[in-house]
Amino acid sequence: DAGVIQSPRHEVTEMGQEVTLRCKPISGHDYLFWYRQTMMRGLELLIYFNNNVPIDDSGMPEDRFSAKMPNASFSTLKIQPSEPRDSAVYFCASSIHLSNTGELFFGEGSRLTVL
Amino acid sequence: AQKVTQAQTEISVVEKEDVTLDCVYETRDTTYYLFWYKQPPSGELVFLIRRNSFDEQNEISGRYSWNFQKSTSSFNFTITASQVVDSAVYFCALSERSQGNLIFGKGTKLSVKP
């Protein structure tokens, strides 16, 4: 089975540009999570979805960040406009049946550098 | 509030030494799950173990062992006879049934030198 697939793996952009990160969760998983990893703050949850519906977006830094999940097999995280402090590794993760264990399966991450 | 503390930021050992990574957690839930993830230099997050709050039995998997103690809210991870390939950042994490996500500690960077 394919794992969680993220694209792009690396993105370098200039301040002010729009950035779109993409994620394909594991088939059959009903939860999808976006995490951000930085040296200073570690792994932080940005937002998560259950059955394509956003459940908790309290971790989204500000209005420049938005996330969508139009269907069960695809999600996007958009940053517009991007700023240098958004430079981080963004991980997407999926899981199944939250009431069981909460184990997350992570993608390989998208490393974003904003110049 | 829930919190995971990994007090050791970095640990360096020589190959074949045993090493213990500490994890202390805080939660108000009576039902919760504890995890360890490994992040090797390549960057992906690799699941190692899950423990639920009702199971305090220690677990051993090869050179890895985990010690869960509710009395001290700790879930420590020991690597026996460490190897260079164990070099990675190790994250302890907590999941509460009332929440929808994993709360991670800041991680411990383990360097195993030959």
Side-chain angles (χ1 to χ4, degrees):
Chain A
D1 271 346
V4 175
I5 300 171
Q6 292 186 245
S7 64
R9 291 293 312 281
H10 301 274
E11 174 93 8
V12 180
T13 190
E14 293 189 346
M15 183 173 65
Q17 296 298 306
E18 178 178 296
V19 173
T20 299
L21 307 178
R22 298 172 178 80
C23 175
K24 177 178 168 56
I26 294 172
S27 177
H29 282 194
D30 51 357
Y31 283 83
L32 184 139
F33 303 81
W34 283 99
Y35 279 84
R36 178 173 68 175
Q37 185 178 29
T38 61
M39 289 292 293
M40 292 297 296
R41 301 173 69 93
L43 277 157
E44 305 173 277
L45 177 72
L46 299 177
I47 185 172
Y48 78 94
F49 296 83
N50 177 216
N51 292 323
N52 314 338
V53 176
I55 303 300
D56 183 356
D57 65 354
S58 59
M60 296 286 262
E62 48 199 92
D63 291 346
R64 298 184 297 107
F65 285 69
S66 63
K68 293 182 180 179
M69 192 166 185
N71 57 62
S73 59
F74 184 65
S75 177
T76 59
L77 177 67
K78 187 174 293 186
I79 308 172
Q80 166 63 17
S82 58
E83 296 182 3
R85 61 191 167 124
D86 301 330
S87 297
V89 180
Y90 291 81
F91 286 99
C92 177
S94 68
S95 71
I96 188 168
H97 301 322
L98 176 69
S99 60
N100 286 343
T101 67
E103 176 184 342
L104 302 187
F105 296 83
F106 285 84
E108 294 182 313
S110 294
R111 181 176 294 277
L112 172 64
T113 302
V114 183
L115 304 175
Chain B
Q2 56 275 18
K3 187 179 177 182
V4 176
T5 302
Q6 295 180 256
Q8 304 148 310
T9 307
E10 290 192 42
I11 300 176
S12 182
V13 299
V14 176
E15 209 169 17
K16 297 184 183 177
E17 284 186 24
D18 298 347
V19 58
T20 295
L21 309 181
D22 298 332
C23 173
V24 175
Y25 62 92
E26 295 176 30
T27 177
R28 291 179 183 171
D29 275 15
T30 55
T31 300
Y32 52 90
Y33 300 87
L34 296 164
F35 300 79
W36 278 93
Y37 279 82
K38 174 182 180 179
Q39 188 174 42
S42 50
E44 72 273 25
L45 282 155
V46 179
F47 166 79
L48 294 178
I49 189 173
R50 175 192 66 239
R51 244 338 180 215
N52 74 51
S53 52
F54 298 116
D55 184 0
E56 283 194 73
Q57 279 192 339
N58 292 334
E59 179 151 342
I60 298 175
S61 176
R63 296 184 296 106
Y64 295 172
S65 62
W66 290 269
N67 181 264
F68 175 29
Q69 291 194 339
K70 289 179 76 170
S71 60
T72 56
S73 296
S74 65
F75 186 44
N76 297 338
F77 173 30
T78 297
I79 302 174
T80 303
S82 60
Q83 300 177 1
V84 173
V85 293
D86 296 327
S87 296
V89 180
Y90 291 87
F91 291 94
C92 181
L94 166 71
S95 172
E96 299 176 329
R97 294 191 68 167
S98 60
Q99 299 285 330
N101 72 93
L102 287 184
I103 299 144
F104 285 88
K106 290 292 176 67
T108 298
K109 182 178 181 180
L110 174 65
S111 298
V112 182
K113 304 193 183 307

